[in-house]
Structure formats: C-alpha cells, structure tokens
Amino acid sequence: GVDACVRDKYGRTALHDMVEKLPAQASRVLDGKKKTISEYFSHIQVEYDFSALDDYDDNQSLTPLAAILKHHQLDLVAHPVIVRLLKWKWAVFARDRFMFQVSSYLMTLVLFTIAYFQSVHEERLDA
C-alpha cells in the first residue's frame, strides 16, 4: 500500500485523516515507525522514523504531530514513537532555552529579594 505519510498537493497526509477520524489506525501507522534493530538480553536497540511526523514547510497544513494535539488524541500522544519524538525535541530544542529562562527568573527573584531585605534593614537602622 501507499505510505500514510506521503503528502498531497495541500500538504496533508492520510495520517492526518487517521488522527482525526481513525485514531486506532493512526496508532498502527505509528507502530510501523518503530523498528527493533537488536535485542541482547535486556538491552533492546530501537530505531525510530520521525520522517513526515514533524516536517514543517510554509505551504503545508498541520504536521501530524500538531494534528494529534489539535484533535486531543491523548492515546496517540502517549504512543512510544510520539513520546520518543517529544523527548528528542525537548533535548534538541527546548531544554537549554527552558533552563536559561528558569535560571534568569531565579536570578531576578534572588536579586529582588536581596534588594528588598536590604532596603527594609536600612529603614530599621535609620529609625
């Protein structure tokens, strides 16, 4: 059969429609995106194929990942391929930015707290 991730001229795939109307079928398509390469006792090496799951182009409609979120398909969000994709995106794109923003916020909070307590302490000494 035809790959469910092949795009038409509007940028949609069959996976988009499956996500919206047939989530069980979409889960089967996602199962095909995970391939076990080797098993050695409790060590299992798995390869994930993220192609077409999160490709974005200006003339495309939603990515399949965005469609999963838009249609609130929580069972698909919990699918191992999607979980692995989100972990990869977190590690590659989001984690460093998030940590920088949290660090900046905490630094600002500490500085304002120190400044406040110093001003209160100086007012008590002046009184």
Side-chain angles (χ1 to χ4, degrees):
V2 177
D3 184 8
C5 295
V6 174
R7 295 189 179 280
D8 63 12
K9 65 181 179 181
Y10 304 107
R12 287 185 58 89
T13 66
L15 185 56
H16 284 90
D17 295 328
M18 287 182 211
V19 164
E20 187 176 352
K21 299 175 180 127
L22 302 166
Q25 292 291 63
S27 181
R28 288 191 191 109
V29 169
L30 292 175
D31 288 339
K33 298 284 184 182
K34 178 182 174 184
K35 182 170 76 171
T36 302
I37 296 176
S38 67
E39 291 186 45
Y40 185 71
F41 292 104
S42 64
H43 179 71
I44 300 172
Q45 188 176 4
V46 178
E47 182 178 87
Y48 296 91
D49 178 14
F50 298 142
S51 63
L53 288 181
D54 197 40
D55 294 342
Y56 182 76
D57 191 353
D58 290 337
N59 59 1
Q60 291 179 4
S61 62
L62 293 174
T63 64
L65 179 60
I68 288 170
L69 297 174
K70 178 183 177 189
H71 296 294
H72 306 286
Q73 297 293 349
L74 299 180
D75 54 334
L76 292 177
V77 172
H79 191 280
V81 173
I82 299 300
V83 168
R84 185 70 181 126
L85 174 63
L86 293 174
K87 284 181 180 180
W88 176 78
K89 289 174 75 72
W90 169 256
V92 171
F93 300 111
R95 181 179 50 206
D96 292 340
R97 185 173 181 186
F98 174 78
M99 293 307 288
F100 175 77
Q101 289 178 343
V102 167
S103 299
S104 298
Y105 172 77
L106 290 175
M107 182 84 73
T108 304
L109 181 66
V110 167
L111 291 174
F112 275 114
T113 303
I114 291 170
Y116 171 76
F117 282 114
Q118 279 183 339
S119 69
V120 168
H121 182 67
E122 286 176 6
E123 287 177 9
R124 288 186 181 166
L125 289 177
D126 292 340

